[in-house]
Amino acid sequence: MAKNAKQRILDGALNLLRAEGGGAITLEAAAKEVGLSKPGLMYHFPTKEALMLGVVAHVADRWEKLLLEQLGRPLETATPAQRIRAHVDVALNAPFDRADFAIYTDAHYRTALTDAWVCRIEPWLTLPDDLPGAVRARLTAARLLADGYWTAAATGVFPVPGRDRAELLAVVEGLLAEDPAS
């Protein structure tokens, strides 16, 4: 039951960010969103900091789960190109919105919140030092293209027009073309 309540609280906090005009995540607002009293919410998240840590971890967990599903194998067995491809596929195809973007960007202003992202996502994006320069450049370019696409799609600011999507995907495919060294 406690896990279900925690999940409801975290989902409710994200709903506050999705609200028209953007909502604020406070203990009071999150409790009201999920039909709990403030003390009931504080049983699970005793402070606003604890709630924010939970929300960031919740969103980062979702990213990690989507990445693993896309990869279809244990992370440790994947090549750098396969890891970057999974990241690109998730960034270009999974449904994200301003709440996801807000949680991601706000987390980078406080070390405790940043750590949730780093420990989950860094293994997907870190390229080995011995990877040939041209391969590193292609994989990095594909990742950055996907990150930019995700940012535009999640925020709704300068999104890629639908008519350009197929060509964009072709560019990504060219960057991710399998290379024996990757």
Side-chain angles (χ1 to χ4, degrees):
M1 181 71 156
K3 186 165 175 87
N4 289 341
K6 276 187 153 182
Q7 186 74 31
R8 279 188 21 240
I9 293 166
L10 296 170
D11 289 339
L14 284 173
N15 285 341
L16 290 172
L17 289 174
R18 289 184 177 103
E20 186 73 31
I25 297 179
T26 64
L27 295 176
E28 295 85 3
K32 183 178 178 184
E33 179 71 19
V34 296
L36 291 175
S37 65
K38 183 177 174 184
L41 180 135
M42 291 179 72
Y43 173 80
H44 301 285
F45 299 99
T47 65
K48 183 177 178 183
E49 178 78 6
L51 178 59
M52 289 308 299
L53 284 169
V55 169
V56 170
H58 182 60
V59 173
D61 285 346
R62 177 175 173 239
W63 263 93
E64 187 176 38
K65 181 181 176 197
L66 290 168
L67 289 165
L68 283 167
E69 286 173 2
Q70 186 62 44
L71 184 61
R73 65 179 351 157
L75 176 62
E76 313 75 54
T77 67
T79 66
Q82 290 167 333
R83 288 184 283 116
I84 296 295
R85 177 177 286 284
H87 174 76
V88 167
D89 288 343
V90 168
L92 292 176
N93 297 307
F96 294 107
D97 58 30
R98 283 185 277 182
D100 297 293
F101 183 78
I103 292 298
Y104 175 77
T105 56
D106 287 351
H108 293 287
Y109 290 104
R110 297 203 322 254
T111 303
L113 300 178
T114 302
D115 290 345
W117 283 105
V118 171
C119 74
R120 288 172 182 83
I121 306 302
E122 186 175 46
W124 293 88
L125 304 179
T126 301
L127 299 174
D129 291 335
D130 63 348
L131 205 59
V135 175
R136 288 178 69 80
R138 285 189 300 100
L139 295 177
T140 300
R143 184 201 118 206
L144 293 174
L145 186 147
D147 290 347
Y149 181 91
W150 175 79
T151 299
T155 63
V157 177
F158 305 119
V160 175
R163 69 179 181 275
D164 297 337
R165 184 168 168 75
E167 293 296 325
L168 178 67
L169 293 174
V171 169
V172 172
E173 282 302 318
L175 292 170
L176 292 174
E178 281 298 321
D179 184 321
S182 65

